Amino acid sequence: SLSVVHTQGSVKLINSTGQEEQAKPGLALQPNDTVEIGSESSAILAVDDVTNLTLHPESSMQVVGMDASGVRVELEGGRVTARVRPGSPSLAVSNRGRAALAQESLFQAGVDLEGAFLVEATEGQVQLQGFDGATELQEGSRVRALPTKDAVMGTIPTSLLLEVQWPESATTKEASLILQGRTDPYARVTVGEDGEQKVIRAGADGRFSTTLALKEGVNPLTVSAKDSLGEGAEETFEVVRDSTAPTATSSEVVWGE
C-alpha cells in the first residue's frame, strides 16, 4: 500500500480517470494515481510504518504498481527521497525504463525536463535497472544517465563542481567568445543573463562549450550549473568588447629576454 501521511502547500492528486483533488493525510493511493507537488510544497507518502517516500517541490510522480512484494513509482519530474527499512516491501523509483530499487537504503532520485536521471545512495545499497551496465550503487555513490547515453558512476560530492575557463583578458575586439568549462556529468548549464540565456548540457565527462555573442561595451556573464537533484553552482565574469581598440603591430611588440 501507499498512503499520504503529510502534506505542505499545494499537493494535487490526479486519479486514473483524470479527476483532481487536494491530497490530504490518510488518503490511500491507487495504481495510476499521479501526485503533483507545487512550488514551496512537499508530501510524505508511507509504504508502511517505517518506509516512506518524500516528494520535494515541483515534483510529479505516478504510482505504477504495488503488491505484497513492493511499490513501484514513476518519477516524471523533480526529486524524491526514499527511506526503505529492513522487513518492509521494496521500493522502486523509475523513469523512462531506468529504475532504482531498494530493500534497505536511504536514497535520492531526481529527473529534469530532458530526462537526465540521477540517483544517490546515501545509506545502504541500491539496485539499478536499465542503466547500461551499471547494476548497483554502493553507499556514498551516485549514477547519472540521459536517455540513449551511457550511465556515469561516481562518489557523492560535497558540492556541485563548476570550473569555467574565463578569458585571460577582460577586454576584446572580437564579436564572440568561446566559453568552456567542467561540471558534473550531464548537468544542465545556463550561460548569459536574464533574457539572453543559453542552456546547454554537459557531456559524460562533465565538459561543456558554447559560443556567446558579445555586444559593444560591458557584457556581464553568469554561468550556472544544476544537477537533477537541484544542487547548483554559479560563477560570474565581465567581458568588455571594444571594437575600436587599436591592434598591436609587429613593431609594437616587445619581446622578453
Side-chain angles (χ1 to χ4, degrees):
S1 66
L2 188 63
S3 59
V4 179
V5 296
H6 175 78
T7 64
Q8 177 179 321
S10 175
V11 180
K12 184 167 58 178
L13 173 71
I14 306 172
N15 67 21
S16 59
T17 64
Q19 294 180 319
E20 299 182 7
E21 63 177 295
Q22 184 70 14
K24 298 179 180 179
L27 180 67
L29 302 183
Q30 304 299 322
N32 300 317
D33 282 353
T34 297
V35 180
E36 294 184 351
I37 310 297
S39 61
E40 300 182 4
S41 304
S42 63
I44 300 176
L45 313 179
V47 176
D48 57 19
D49 292 339
V50 293
T51 291
N52 57 59
L53 185 69
T54 300
L55 280 73
H56 298 280
E58 299 181 354
S59 298
S60 177
M61 181 211 78
Q62 184 180 58
V63 181
V64 176
M66 49 188 174
D67 54 30
S69 64
V71 173
R72 189 181 188 96
V73 300
E74 177 81 1
L75 181 60
E76 298 170 338
R79 177 170 66 98
V80 298
T81 301
R83 162 69 77 179
V84 187
R85 299 287 190 181
S88 296
S90 64
L91 179 60
V93 178
S94 62
N95 174 267
R96 305 187 190 187
R98 304 157 297 180
L101 173 67
Q103 295 179 318
E104 181 181 355
S105 180
L106 172 63
F107 72 94
Q108 292 192 80
V111 63
D112 68 14
L113 295 175
E114 290 82 34
F117 194 33
L118 191 159
V119 181
E120 285 187 350
T122 307
E123 298 177 11
Q125 297 179 339
V126 176
Q127 304 300 312
L128 302 175
Q129 299 171 350
F131 279 90
D132 298 325
T135 59
E136 186 177 78
L137 275 183
Q138 298 294 327
E139 183 174 308
S141 61
R142 58 166 28 186
V143 62
R144 316 83 152 169
L146 272 173
T148 73
K149 300 290 186 179
D150 292 338
V152 179
M153 305 281 287
T155 57
I156 298 176
T158 55
S159 60
L160 188 70
L161 170 71
L162 179 59
E163 296 176 348
V164 183
Q165 297 176 19
W166 298 112
E168 293 183 3
S169 173
T171 303
T172 181
K173 291 172 60 72
E174 303 299 325
S176 63
L177 169 70
I178 297 176
L179 197 62
Q180 298 177 320
R182 188 164 66 98
T183 183
D184 199 66
Y186 302 137
R188 197 168 188 262
V189 180
T190 303
V191 183
E193 291 294 301
D194 291 342
E196 298 182 3
Q197 292 182 329
K198 296 180 70 173
V199 178
I200 56 178
R201 179 73 65 177
D205 59 359
R207 298 188 183 279
F208 61 88
S209 178
T210 189
T211 300
L212 301 175
L214 299 177
K215 64 183 181 181
E216 193 74 13
V218 178
N219 292 263
L221 300 177
T222 299
V223 178
S224 59
K226 181 179 287 188
D227 67 19
S228 297
L229 293 179
E231 295 295 326
E234 182 177 283
E235 287 192 17
T236 59
F237 192 75
E238 281 190 348
V239 175
V240 177
R241 183 191 176 206
D242 183 2
S243 60
T244 64
T247 302
T249 64
S250 58
S251 61
E252 296 174 321
V253 177
V254 178
W255 299 99
E257 298 180 357

